[in-house]
Amino acid sequence: MYLWLQCLIFLKYVGASGQGPIQAIQKLNNAFQMELNVFIDCEDWFRFQDESIFQILDTPRILFTKSDIGNYRIYGNFTEKTLIVVFFPEAKNSLDPLVTKLLSNLVDNLHEIHVVFVAAEEPDDSWKMNLYTFCYKEGLINVILIYNENIYSYLPYPKIQPIRLANISEYFERKRILSNLRGLPIRTVRIDISPGDFEYLNQDNETIRVGTLFFALREFTDRYNATILGELLPSVQGFDVYVELSKMLYRKEIDVICYLKDLNIPSPYTKPLSILSEHFIVPYARPIGSYLYYYKPFEWTLWMAVAGTVVYGTLMLYIMSRRVGIEFGQCLLYSLSHILFTCNHANSSTGWRVKVVEGILILGGFVLTNLYLSTLSSILTLGLYEPEYNTLEDLAKAPYPSLHDAFYVENLKSKTFLPEALRKNAINPNNNTLLRIYRDNLNESYMYVMYDGRRELNLMQQRLLKTPRFHTVEEPIGFALNSIPVSKSLPYLNILNQFMRRLQEHGIFIKIKADVFQVMIEQGIYTLMRDNEPPAKPFDLEYYFFAFALWAVGLFISLLFFLAEILRISYKTWRV
C-alpha cells in the first residue's frame, strides 16, 4: 500500500513537470562542457519519464544504484568534467545513508564537481538543511536542489545559508559569490618549523608569526576575505606529532598546516606545484696543511721527470768530465743548479757534448722553475683542500655524523638503498632546539638532510664567503610534494589550489622567500656569514716544514756522497 502511495506522489510531482530538472541538467552540461553524467538511484525517475531524458541529453551517462557502494571515484576512474545527478523519492526526515555513502565515495578528492539533487516531493526546511550540511562536510559547494520548477542552493560562508534561485542563470553567478569567504576562520596549528612557519619576539616583546608558507596562507586570507585562527600544537613528542596532526586533519579539527606534504604521512593536500628533492648537505672540504704546498704544484709523475732529468744530467756530466777529475757530487750539484735555474759558476769541462747537456738543463730548469713558482703562488692565494664528499658512497666514509629529528632518523634508516654505514651514522640529539641551532647555524661538526626550499634558504647564509662552509650532495635520497596538508573535504580547496599555483607561476614565492630570509637575518635566526677572520699567513712556520724536510734529506744525501767520496779516495790510496 505504501509503495502505491509513493508512486502516486511521484507521478503527481515529477511526471507532470519533470522537464524542469532535465532542462537544468541540459543547461549545466552545455555551460560547463560536461563529458559525463553520473545518475545515482534514478531508475524510478527514468521509468516515469518514458526515457525522454535519453532523447534530450546527448552526454554519456553512467547509472549507479544504492547497492553500488564500491571504490568508485570520479577522480581517477572517470573524467573530472562530470555532472552528478541524485534522485530522492522522499525529501523529508533524514537522508538515505546508502545514497550519501555512495556519493561520498564518488566525490572523494574532487570537491569542485557539480551535483544536482532532484526531489520527487517538496523538501522541507530541516531536510534541506541536513542535505546542505552533508554537502558542506563533503566539500561540495556547487550544489543545486530541484523540485519541479523550483531551484534551491546554499551559500557556505561563513555559515550555511539556504537560498532560492530564480533560474539556472543565477547559479552560474555563484562563482563570484563563493570567492568571498566572508570572514571564515581558517584553523592552522603553530607548528614553529622554519622557514615554512615559525614565530619570533619583536622589540616590543610581541610574538610575530612568519614563514614562507604562512605568508602564502596570509595572502590567501587577505585576497579571499578570510581570517587565520591559530591552534596549539598537540602535546606529543617526536614522530607522534606528525601522526597526531594527520589525525586532526582527517577529524577536521584543523584546516591547513603550513608544512610541506611528506609522502610518508597520509593526509589530504593541495595540488602539488612541483616535486621537491631531499639532499644531504655536507661540510666543505677541509684545508690541507700548508707544509704540503711545496709538492702540490706538480703531480708525482712530473716530480719523477724532474728527478730523472737531474740524474741524467749528473751522469752525463760525470762521464764526460772524468778526464778532468770532477767528482760525482760536484756534477750532481751542477745539474741541480741548472735545473733550478740558479747556476752561477762555470764548469771546467769543455766540449760540445757538455754544452748540449747544460743547454737541456738550463731550458728545462727555466720552464719548470717558472711553472712551479706560478702554480705555488696560486695555491698560496686560494689554498688547497681535502677531497670533497660528492656521492652517497663518499658520505659513508665521511667523519661527520648526520643529525636529524626522531622522525627523519627512522625515515633515513628505512631507506635500504643508502650505504649501511651512512644509515648507522644518523643520530637524534633528543633536543629539537639544539638540532635547529646546529642546522640553522651550519655547524660543521655534522651533516644534515634538507628539502629544496629549506636548503636554499639555509645555504644563502654563506653567499658572501670566499669558500662556502657546506655544499650539496647532488644525489637525492627522497622526494616530497610542493603542497601543503589540508583537512579532508576542504570546501574552498579549489580556490586555494588556484591561488597557490598563481603564486608559483608569477614568481611571488621568490619574493616571499627573500622576505623570510631578511626576517631571519634581522632576528638572528640566520647569520650572513663573512670572512672576518684575518687571512692566513702563507709563510708561517708550518709552511716551511716541508722545506726543512727537504733540507734534511739533502743534507743526508750530501753526507752519504761525502762518505762515499772519502771511501773511494781511501780505497785508491790503499791500492797505491
Side-chain angles (χ1 to χ4, degrees):
M1 184 68 179
Y2 175 78
L3 180 60
W4 281 102
L5 180 61
Q6 180 178 347
C7 290
L8 289 174
I9 296 174
F10 180 80
L11 286 172
K12 178 180 179 182
Y13 287 100
V14 180
S17 56
Q19 293 300 316
I22 296 177
Q23 292 174 354
I25 293 172
Q26 188 177 22
K27 289 181 179 180
L28 289 171
N29 284 333
N30 295 333
F32 298 109
Q33 298 180 351
M34 297 297 183
E35 299 175 358
L36 180 68
N37 287 165
V38 175
F39 294 92
I40 298 177
D41 204 26
C42 295
E43 300 96 329
D44 293 336
W45 185 31
F46 292 160
R47 187 181 305 116
F48 288 102
Q49 289 296 321
D50 295 330
E51 298 185 354
S52 61
I53 189 171
F54 298 110
Q55 300 174 4
I56 297 174
L57 301 178
D58 57 357
T59 307
R61 296 168 293 275
I62 293 179
L63 177 63
F64 286 106
T65 62
K66 296 179 183 179
S67 59
D68 295 324
I69 303 177
N71 292 323
Y72 300 107
R73 298 284 190 276
I74 297 297
Y75 183 76
N77 294 99
F78 309 108
T79 175
E80 296 180 20
K81 287 190 173 183
T82 298
L83 178 67
I84 296 181
V85 181
V86 183
F87 178 71
F88 286 107
E90 295 182 357
K92 290 181 174 62
N93 301 322
S94 60
L95 302 176
D96 190 333
L98 295 178
V99 174
T100 56
K101 186 173 183 180
L102 175 60
L103 182 59
S104 299
N105 290 337
L106 281 174
V107 301
D108 191 27
N109 295 328
L110 194 65
H111 312 127
E112 61 270 20
I113 204 164
H114 296 268
V115 183
V116 176
F117 296 100
V118 179
E121 55 186 24
E122 184 175 1
D124 57 22
D125 294 339
S126 62
W127 186 88
K128 285 192 292 185
M129 184 58 67
N130 290 337
L131 177 65
Y132 297 149
T133 303
F134 162 77
C135 291
Y136 185 78
K137 289 181 179 180
E138 296 298 326
L140 298 172
I141 55 177
N142 298 316
V143 170
I144 301 178
L145 172 62
I146 301 178
Y147 167 69
N148 289 344
E149 303 294 334
N150 301 323
I151 302 177
Y152 306 95
S153 187
Y154 78 102
L155 296 177
Y157 315 121
K159 61 180 181 179
I160 297 176
Q161 305 173 51
I163 59 174
R164 180 170 181 174
L165 305 177
N167 48 55
I168 199 66
S169 299
E170 289 188 4
Y171 176 77
F172 299 144
E173 299 176 0
R174 291 174 71 252
K175 184 176 182 180
R176 177 182 54 82
I177 301 175
L178 294 179
S179 61
N180 186 353
L181 300 184
R182 300 179 182 275
L184 180 73
I186 297 178
R187 301 163 298 173
T188 176
V189 293
R190 300 175 179 270
I191 196 167
D192 197 20
I193 296 181
S194 62
D197 183 8
F198 62 97
E199 297 175 343
Y200 70 90
L201 293 176
N202 63 4
Q203 297 177 351
D204 299 328
N205 204 28
E206 297 175 343
T207 300
I208 306 299
R209 190 176 179 185
V210 293
T212 54
L213 297 177
F214 178 77
F215 277 169
L217 180 62
R218 192 177 67 183
E219 289 294 325
F220 173 78
T221 57
D222 292 343
R223 173 67 178 82
Y224 292 97
N225 191 21
T227 57
I228 297 178
L229 181 61
E231 301 287 348
L232 295 178
L233 197 66
S235 56
V236 291
Q237 301 296 327
F239 176 70
D240 295 336
V241 173
Y242 303 97
V243 175
E244 184 62 27
L245 287 176
S246 178
K247 292 179 180 178
M248 292 176 68
L249 290 173
Y250 278 103
R251 294 195 300 260
K252 300 184 179 181
E253 297 176 2
I254 53 177
D255 299 317
V256 178
I257 301 178
C258 296
Y259 188 71
L260 292 176
K261 162 63 182 172
D262 194 290
L263 297 177
N264 298 307
I265 304 175
S267 65
Y269 51 90
T270 58
K271 287 186 178 180
L273 303 175
S274 61
I275 296 178
L276 302 175
S277 54
E278 185 181 19
H279 295 266
F280 271 100
I281 64 169
V282 190
Y284 196 77
R286 296 173 177 175
I288 66 174
S290 59
Y291 62 90
L292 300 176
Y293 285 4
Y294 272 103
Y295 79 91
K296 283 296 183 179
F298 295 158
E299 296 292 336
W300 67 271
T301 52
L302 191 54
W303 284 113
M304 293 295 294
V306 172
T309 304
V310 172
V311 172
Y312 166 77
T314 303
L315 292 176
M316 293 300 296
L317 291 176
Y318 181 72
I319 292 173
M320 290 182 292
S321 303
R322 282 184 299 177
R323 295 181 181 179
V324 183
I326 299 178
E327 297 177 354
F328 185 81
Q330 187 177 356
C331 292
L332 176 61
L333 180 61
Y334 191 68
S335 178
L336 281 171
S337 299
H338 276 81
I339 202 164
L340 295 177
F341 206 60
T342 60
C343 184
N344 56 4
H345 65 278
N347 190 354
S348 58
S349 300
T350 58
W352 65 271
R353 293 183 179 85
V354 174
K355 299 300 181 184
V356 170
V357 173
E358 290 178 350
I360 293 173
L361 292 174
I362 291 173
L363 181 61
F366 176 78
V367 174
L368 291 174
T369 302
N370 285 276
L371 178 61
Y372 180 86
L373 292 177
S374 60
T375 307
L376 182 60
S377 178
S378 300
I379 291 175
L380 292 174
T381 302
L382 301 176
L384 288 180
Y385 299 86
E386 295 176 355
E388 292 184 358
Y389 302 100
N390 294 320
T391 64
L392 296 178
E393 288 72 17
D394 294 340
L395 292 184
K397 306 172 186 176
Y400 316 103
S402 57
L403 207 61
H404 321 271
D405 64 12
F407 168 67
Y408 283 100
V409 166
E410 296 300 325
N411 187 24
L412 189 68
K413 290 183 176 180
S414 65
K415 296 177 178 179
T416 56
F417 64 89
L418 294 176
E420 184 177 359
L422 184 58
R423 285 182 280 142
K424 290 182 178 179
N425 207 19
I427 61 175
N428 172 29
N430 296 320
N431 188 334
N432 289 336
T433 302
L434 186 63
L435 167 63
R436 190 179 309 168
I437 293 173
Y438 284 169
R439 184 174 56 198
D440 291 344
N441 291 282
L442 296 179
N443 188 304
E444 295 178 273
S445 300
Y446 305 95
M447 53 187 178
Y448 312 94
V449 171
M450 298 184 188
Y451 286 106
D452 286 339
R454 176 185 294 172
R455 177 170 52 88
E456 179 184 353
L457 282 180
N458 224 327
L459 297 183
M460 282 176 65
Q461 301 177 83
Q462 54 186 13
R463 60 185 179 185
L464 299 182
L465 294 178
K466 180 179 66 176
T467 302
R469 293 188 181 182
F470 276 77
H471 76 283
T472 303
V473 177
E474 295 301 328
E475 296 181 55
I477 65 169
F479 299 93
L481 298 178
N482 188 8
S483 59
I484 55 178
V486 296
S487 66
K488 182 177 174 60
S489 304
L490 192 67
Y492 48 87
L493 180 61
N494 187 36
I495 58 177
L496 180 59
N497 286 330
Q498 295 176 359
F499 181 79
M500 297 297 287
R501 186 175 67 248
R502 287 199 297 269
L503 292 184
Q504 179 84 355
E505 292 175 349
H506 298 166
I508 301 176
F509 260 126
I510 299 176
K511 178 63 168 60
I512 291 177
K513 288 180 181 179
D515 292 343
V516 170
F517 183 74
Q518 182 177 354
V519 170
M520 299 181 83
I521 292 294
E522 292 174 352
Q523 299 304 319
I525 301 173
Y526 281 174
T527 302
L528 199 57
M529 301 173 182
R530 301 175 183 271
D531 293 313
N532 293 326
E533 65 277 3
K537 297 179 180 180
F539 300 109
D540 55 5
L541 182 61
E542 182 185 6
Y543 174 74
Y544 290 103
F545 283 171
F546 189 76
F548 293 155
L550 288 179
W551 177 65
V553 171
L555 288 179
F556 179 73
I557 294 175
S558 300
L559 179 61
L560 290 181
F561 277 104
F562 175 71
L563 294 176
E565 289 290 338
I566 292 177
L567 291 176
R568 186 177 63 84
I569 294 174
S570 300
Y571 178 74
K572 287 184 178 180
T573 304
W574 178 76
R575 291 275 313 263
V576 174

